[in-house]
Amino acid sequence: MTSEPVATSSVSALAGTTFSGARQTAHEFVRSVLRSAILSGELAGGTRLVQAELASLLEVSTTPVREALRELASEGVVRFDPHRGAVVKELSGEEVHEIYAIREILEPVALRRAIPKLTEEVMDRLRGLHQKMTEVPHSAEWVDLNRSFHMTIYETAASPRLAAIIRSLEDSSVMYIGAFLKEVPGLRDDAIHDHGEILEALERRDGDAAAEAVVRHLGLAVKAFESRSAQTDES
Amino acid sequence: MTSEPVATSSVSALAGTTFSGARQTAHEFVRSVLRSAILSGELAGGTRLVQAELASLLEVSTTPVREALRELASEGVVRFDPHRGAVVKELSGEEVHEIYAIREILEPVALRRAIPKLTEEVMDRLRGLHQKMTEVPHSAEWVDLNRSFHMTIYETAASPRLAAIIRSLEDSSVMYIGAFLKEVPGLRDDAIHDHGEILEALERRDGDAAAEAVVRHLGLAVKAFESRSAQTDES
DNA sequence: GTCGCACAGATTGCATCCTATAACTAAATC
DNA sequence: GATTTAGTTATAGGATGCAATCTGTGCGAC
């Protein structure tokens, strides 16, 4: 049980995070810590998540850890096999394509549904997020702003189920390709440009244009992923 | 702590089910029992699910019960608020419409994806299910066959994510409207007719026709739901 | 030398006990 | 009489210890 020489990421990256208990249950705390660690790439795909280890690291008992893992498993970010433990899920290229294909179908729908419900307040929020994204560099914060931008639109569609599905797909996307989208040079600017177009289309209440922009926006990520995975062709 | 006069359904309906432990973990057992009880309508929407009660009834401890409830919560069939416990979810009419709207989008997609992958073996299975559905009356078994029929198609699409989303939407549908679809007279025959059309279209590898049939098939349920909820207009 | 088997270490899963939280009830104050 | 506040009870959440299960390793047989 010495640390493996081939560096798979370890949960020890989480050391130091403590549970204040303030109005949050322990399993919620564990879940949020693991979630953000996984989505940020801190915990890479394939990392084993040993309950006892996580428990002592986060200073809770194993019970809430297991509950958190169960929830993450149904969210699809970890794999949890009976008696064998949890590992951070790693998606295949096919799955990435599948996820983006579904997103390209659902996101335009959610967007069109949102348009009639757009208030000035929501538009202001979107403009604010867009503005801020032009200011901060590509970082965890930027990724978060990006997520907020899109989800704000979809949540005003007042279709909670649809929004939840999209959110989960987006999470899976970020988990898998978020890490190396950072390395694609012009991507951030392209994304900001697309957001601008989406925003403009929303101002005009033009569903077709907005939908088209979103689909192109998604295509960007897929293309970046493809060029990257072709480059890292090592199977 | 007397029983309420207004008869909300009770978990006591589950009494007698025992956990053999055979190659199944306790929480999986609890989950499957609760799932089928909820989907079958045995546990109606709004029923409180008290952990201790379920635990003693199913002869397990509260820990696996909580884990099962957590999973069911992320599946969307129960609502689980911190420190307040779980209740069987009840969907509003709007949510039902939303769910069917999403299904009408995704199911044709899954179907088209399935067509190139249809083997004779799958077709045989579908024919068998279809045949059997003409034989058994509208019952829990029939509903299950129906579910199998559709999911068999979607699972051959080799899009696990898409299939999982559809399955969860279907579960929510069944949970909510399954109970009173039974009471709509011609529905079973109409459904069987639609299945015949879908099957025929699949034989011809005709995606358009199959998709059209599926959408009409879904529309059937929505229409039945609407006429029923208009009839039971008591808000 | 390879395959199979058994044992040991590691890890998950569960039961029991205890604590924390929230709903409910009743009393006290305005 | 209404409203707030304190106390009570029911119930969820979590910690600990133990049992069940899996995995890897070493020994023996072929």
Side-chain angles (χ1 to χ4, degrees):
Chain A
M1 222 12 59
T2 55
S3 60
E4 299 182 7
V6 180
T8 62
S9 78
S10 152
V11 293
S12 60
L14 304 176
T17 327
T18 50
F19 173 44
S20 63
R23 284 291 148 183
Q24 197 184 28
T25 59
H27 84 265
E28 283 172 342
F29 163 72
V30 175
R31 181 161 58 100
S32 75
V33 170
L34 287 178
R35 257 180 65 83
S36 57
I38 292 170
L39 295 191
S40 74
E42 215 170 313
L43 293 177
T47 307
R48 263 197 88 185
L49 299 170
V50 179
Q51 297 173 12
E53 202 176 343
L54 292 170
S56 71
L57 226 55
L58 300 175
E59 298 178 316
V60 294
S61 117
T62 60
T63 313
V65 170
R66 264 235 312 294
E67 288 175 11
L69 290 174
R70 287 261 140 73
E71 294 195 307
L72 292 171
S74 16
E75 275 181 45
V77 299
V78 307
R79 219 186 120 92
F80 200 178
D81 297 327
H83 295 288
R84 294 188 43 184
V87 293
V88 179
K89 211 172 195 173
E90 35 193 350
L91 303 182
S92 69
E94 281 166 30
E95 282 173 288
V96 171
H97 280 107
E98 188 197 346
I99 287 171
Y100 273 92
I102 303 174
R103 290 183 63 181
E104 285 181 6
I105 295 164
L106 292 183
E107 298 200 15
V109 173
L111 207 138
R112 284 174 205 273
R113 285 190 174 213
I115 286 184
K117 312 222 173 187
L118 282 172
T119 60
E120 259 317 294
E121 190 229 322
V122 174
M123 286 305 298
D124 275 345
R125 195 138 33 108
L126 289 174
R127 283 188 209 105
L129 287 165
H130 179 55
Q131 178 57 32
K132 194 149 192 192
M133 287 184 78
T134 64
E135 292 163 6
V136 305
H138 199 156
S139 58
E141 190 193 353
W142 192 88
V143 172
D144 226 59
L145 286 169
N146 184 43
R147 179 192 159 98
S148 297
F149 182 85
H150 291 286
M151 290 315 299
T152 298
I153 299 175
Y154 303 142
E155 270 157 16
T156 61
S159 302
R161 202 93 183 191
L162 186 52
I165 293 170
I166 293 174
R167 188 203 325 280
S168 118
L169 292 171
E170 189 161 278
D171 282 350
S172 296
S173 311
V174 167
M175 175 176 73
Y176 191 53
I177 72 174
F180 69 57
L181 283 189
K182 264 178 214 164
E183 298 163 18
V184 180
L187 195 87
R188 174 177 165 280
D189 296 337
D190 288 347
I192 289 172
H193 175 255
D194 285 349
H195 288 182
E197 282 190 11
I198 294 168
L199 210 45
E200 203 183 304
L202 289 180
E203 307 259 24
R204 300 196 313 269
R205 304 290 191 269
D206 183 343
D208 293 334
E212 198 189 318
V214 163
V215 170
R216 190 170 54 250
H217 187 52
L218 289 168
L220 214 68
V222 174
K223 236 187 296 177
F225 167 70
E226 275 167 356
S227 64
R228 169 59 190 252
S229 60
Q231 173 190 326
T232 325
D233 201 328
E234 55 184 1
S235 59
Chain B
M1 224 19 54
T2 56
S3 61
E4 299 184 5
V6 181
T8 61
S9 78
S10 152
V11 293
S12 60
L14 303 176
T17 326
T18 50
F19 173 42
S20 63
R23 284 289 147 185
Q24 197 184 28
T25 59
H27 85 267
E28 283 171 343
F29 163 72
V30 175
R31 182 161 58 100
S32 74
V33 170
L34 287 178
R35 257 180 64 82
S36 56
I38 292 170
L39 295 190
S40 74
E42 214 170 314
L43 293 177
T47 307
R48 264 196 87 186
L49 299 170
V50 178
Q51 297 174 11
E53 201 177 343
L54 292 170
S56 71
L57 226 55
L58 300 174
E59 296 177 320
V60 294
S61 115
T62 59
T63 313
V65 171
R66 255 221 324 286
E67 288 175 11
L69 291 174
R70 287 257 140 74
E71 294 195 308
L72 293 171
S74 11
E75 276 181 45
V77 299
V78 307
R79 215 187 124 93
F80 200 0
D81 297 327
H83 295 287
R84 294 189 40 186
V87 291
V88 180
K89 211 172 194 174
E90 34 194 349
L91 303 182
S92 68
E94 280 167 30
E95 281 174 287
V96 171
H97 279 107
E98 188 196 348
I99 287 171
Y100 273 92
I102 303 174
R103 290 182 62 180
E104 285 181 7
I105 295 164
L106 292 183
E107 299 200 16
V109 173
L111 206 138
R112 283 173 205 274
R113 285 189 174 214
I115 285 183
K117 313 223 171 187
L118 282 172
T119 61
E120 259 317 295
E121 191 229 321
V122 174
M123 287 304 298
D124 276 344
R125 196 137 32 107
L126 289 174
R127 284 187 209 104
L129 287 166
H130 179 55
Q131 178 58 32
K132 194 149 192 193
M133 288 183 79
T134 63
E135 291 163 7
V136 306
H138 199 156
S139 58
E141 191 192 353
W142 192 89
V143 172
D144 226 58
L145 287 168
N146 184 43
R147 180 192 158 99
S148 296
F149 182 85
H150 291 287
M151 288 316 297
T152 298
I153 300 175
Y154 302 142
E155 270 156 18
T156 61
S159 301
R161 203 95 183 188
L162 185 53
I165 293 171
I166 292 174
R167 189 204 323 282
S168 118
L169 292 172
E170 190 163 276
D171 282 350
S172 296
S173 311
V174 167
M175 175 176 72
Y176 191 53
I177 72 174
F180 69 57
L181 283 188
K182 262 177 215 163
E183 298 162 19
V184 180
L187 194 87
R188 174 178 165 279
D189 296 338
D190 288 347
I192 289 173
H193 174 256
D194 285 348
H195 288 181
E197 281 190 11
I198 293 169
L199 210 45
E200 202 183 304
L202 290 180
E203 306 260 23
R204 302 196 312 268
R205 304 289 191 268
D206 183 343
D208 293 335
E212 198 189 319
V214 163
V215 170
R216 190 170 53 249
H217 188 52
L218 288 169
L220 214 68
V222 174
K223 236 186 298 178
F225 166 70
E226 276 167 355
S227 64
R228 170 58 192 251
S229 59
Q231 174 189 326
T232 323
D233 200 329
E234 55 184 1
S235 60

